[in-house]
Structure formats: C-alpha cells, structure tokens
Amino acid sequence: MGEAGGVPLRVVSYNIHSQRDDTAALAAVVRAARPDVVIVQEGPRRFRWRQKSATLAESFGLVVAAGGLPALGNLLLTSLRVQVVGTRCQRFPLTPGRHLRGAAYADCRVAGARFTLAGSHLSTDPAERQAQAAELKRGLDAATGPVLVGADLNEGPDGPAWATVARGLTDAAVAADAADRLTYSCADPRRRIDALFVDPRITVVDYDVVDTPQTRRASDHFPVLVDLLLPTTG
C-alpha cells in the first residue's frame, strides 16, 4: 500500500567492480539494504552473462529485470514487489579503441505507481563521456513514466556530462542535503561520481552513501542507497 504522499521505493545504485572483490561482502551489503531495485554498473556482460546475472540477482535476493550484455554490463534487478512491464537496452556509439558503453531501461509498476528505471556507466574519456551523456539523456527523455536513473558518470557534479544527464531531474544527494558524501574510491574517497537522479515528481525521503567495513571489501565504489516516494497514477 502507498503512504501519504506516494508509494515507497528503496533503490540501490552500485558499481560492483565486475565482482572482482569480496563477493560474499557484496551480497551481504545489498541484502542488508533490503532494496526494491538495484541499479548495477559493471555487471556480467561476457561469457555466460545470463547465468552470471541470475546468480548475482539471487545472491541479492532479487531477480533480473533488464540489461547485462545487451546493455554492456548495466543491469537492473528488482524484488518481486516490482512488476516489470517492458525493457530495452541502449548502446552508445563506439569510439575506436575505447570500451563499449550503454544503458538499460525497465518500465515498472509498484502498488499503484509506475516509473521507468534506468542505469548507465559513462566513459572515463571526457569527450566521449559528454557524447554518451547526450545519448543517455535522449533515452531518458523517451521514457513513458517518471524516471529514476542511477549511473557511474566518471565525473563529479561540476562536469558537463553530469549537467547533461541531470537537466530537468532531481539529484537525490542534493535533495537530501548530502552532496558532500563521496562515492569513489573506497580506498581513498575523493569524488562523487555515482549519482541517482529522479523525476521532480518523485520525493527523495532519505539518501546515504553506505561506508562500512563490508562495503570497503565489496567493491571499489560505495553503494548509493535512496528512499523515494513515487507519485500514484490512479
């Protein structure tokens, strides 16, 4: 059931470093958060990616909604509370000699609310990153429901790619007065390059960058944990 003002949704956005670190700690971190959705960057994208994605989702207590290889490692996972009604993947134009990048989208419903979940991971190259941000923004603008997008932007809030993606959306960290919380790296936190942006109709209730001994073992990025209230659609 919805609460006064909207339907609650708990979101984790997490670059899991291709599961190169402590995978038991990774699973424990996500399970402890009890999310409704997890937006994964650097998820399985190569050989046996479907099986690996399903195994990852199961370790979190979730199911695969969208992404994986078609979205170049961007993976959307949901609890059974969330109904997924449509999915799509986006690949950004390839710059020769660089890594392929893309985005995953899932149109979802939960307890009388609808929303479009999206996830992406932009390039480390500034020029390429800006072009990818424009492509991602076009994908977000095509969404049919209120958008919430989690991304590793590989730049901070003062960068042009960040500004492109954020345009017209709410930065959850700013809304929660927590923009000073750094997300990268776990070994030496100096930058906020991982973000969750939401449609202005979505209320940001709480925001956290989870910094614990477990998260420092689980990945090279800290997870972003956000509680939202979604507008009901009747």
Side-chain angles (χ1 to χ4, degrees):
M1 293 181 63
E3 296 181 355
V7 176
L9 190 80
R10 175 165 283 190
V11 181
V12 168
S13 185
Y14 205 173
N15 182 321
I16 65 170
H17 198 209
S18 301
Q19 298 171 266
R20 296 174 190 165
D21 304 296
D22 186 333
T23 55
L26 178 67
V29 165
V30 174
R31 282 182 174 269
R34 301 177 65 84
D36 296 299
V37 299
V38 177
I39 304 166
V40 173
Q41 298 90 41
E42 293 195 29
R45 57 174 286 184
R46 301 186 190 280
F47 179 65
R48 296 169 59 198
W49 65 271
R50 289 185 181 85
Q51 180 181 337
K52 291 176 181 176
S53 297
T55 299
L56 177 68
E58 184 178 11
S59 77
F60 292 168
L62 303 171
V63 296
V64 176
L69 176 61
L72 302 169
N74 296 289
L75 189 64
L76 306 178
L77 310 177
T78 64
S79 72
L80 296 180
R81 175 173 176 254
V82 178
Q83 179 187 7
V84 178
V85 297
T87 66
R88 60 193 179 279
C89 294
Q90 179 182 20
R91 291 192 176 193
F92 304 142
L94 175 63
T95 301
R98 305 294 299 179
H99 293 298
L100 287 163
R101 303 282 183 171
Y105 301 84
D107 297 320
C108 303
R109 293 176 184 159
V110 58
R114 65 182 181 87
F115 63 96
T116 296
L117 184 67
S120 189
H121 183 189
L122 303 187
S123 175
T124 56
D125 177 79
E128 186 178 42
R129 184 166 61 240
Q130 177 58 25
Q132 291 173 354
E135 290 287 330
L136 174 60
K137 192 62 175 177
R138 279 190 279 274
L140 296 174
D141 289 344
T144 58
V147 167
L148 57 100
V149 53
D152 174 356
L153 298 172
N154 266 313
E155 72 179 30
D158 57 345
W162 184 295
T164 295
V165 177
R167 188 177 63 248
L169 300 174
T170 298
D171 181 338
V174 172
D177 195 24
D180 60 340
R181 301 294 304 278
L182 307 179
T183 66
Y184 183 81
S185 72
C186 290
D188 184 19
R190 293 189 178 188
R191 306 173 69 197
R192 183 166 78 94
I193 63 174
D194 304 275
L196 187 80
F197 302 109
V198 300
D199 185 288
R201 293 170 288 180
I202 297 174
T203 301
V204 178
V205 177
D206 198 14
Y207 173 97
D208 192 19
V209 174
V210 185
D211 181 354
T212 67
Q214 271 189 328
T215 60
R216 286 176 179 257
R217 297 197 308 271
S219 177
D220 60 343
H221 289 244
F222 293 118
V224 173
L225 171 62
V226 186
D227 284 305
L228 303 171
L229 284 176
L230 305 174
T232 56
T233 54

